[in-house]
Amino acid sequence: MNPFDLLKNPQVIKEQMEKVKEELKKITATGSSGGNMVIITLNGQMEMTDIKLDPICVDNRDIGMLQDLIMAAHHNATEKIQQQIKEKYGALLGDMNIPGLNI
């Protein structure tokens, strides 16, 4: 995509980006860690929409492990969201360097 083509019709680009922004809210991915002891759901805007913790991993003597499991599950869900965005919008966003999307 030629970046100068984008400048010719900024209103169309704005409308397309608003549409994409709304569609990103509908994309979800679930990431897990620790054999599903921690399960996190993210939307396409990288917002956490749900978290489930297996009671076995909630041990106040090992908060560090729980923190690691949450971070690992979040990372797993983030990778899945990025893949979905790449598959759905890769052609549209391919030439744009959008931080965090790794497209």
Side-chain angles (χ1 to χ4, degrees):
M1 175 180 283
N2 183 344
F4 293 109
D5 290 341
L6 296 176
L7 298 175
K8 292 179 184 175
N9 201 343
Q11 184 61 32
V12 171
I13 297 301
K14 182 179 178 184
E15 290 170 4
Q16 286 180 340
M17 292 310 291
E18 287 298 319
K19 182 180 175 186
V20 168
K21 185 177 176 183
E22 287 303 311
E23 288 178 2
L24 287 176
K25 291 179 183 178
K26 298 174 188 172
I27 296 173
T28 63
T30 300
S32 64
S33 66
N36 289 334
M37 286 195 299
V38 175
I39 300 171
I40 290 176
T41 303
L42 299 179
N43 67 20
Q45 294 179 317
M46 305 301 175
E47 298 169 336
M48 189 181 310
T49 59
D50 192 31
I51 183 169
K52 292 182 172 83
L53 303 174
D54 186 318
I56 198 167
C57 70
V58 183
D59 181 351
N60 64 357
R61 295 170 293 170
D62 197 358
I63 298 298
M65 178 195 70
L66 180 56
Q67 292 168 334
D68 290 344
L69 289 171
I70 291 170
M71 289 183 63
H74 187 275
H75 179 73
N76 183 246
T78 300
E79 287 177 338
K80 290 177 181 179
I81 285 289
Q82 288 175 339
Q83 183 61 36
Q84 286 185 47
I85 291 170
K86 186 176 184 177
E87 289 170 4
K88 189 167 185 172
Y89 300 108
L92 175 66
L93 303 174
D95 292 336
M96 296 181 200
N97 185 15
I98 300 174
L101 288 184
N102 299 326
I103 294 177

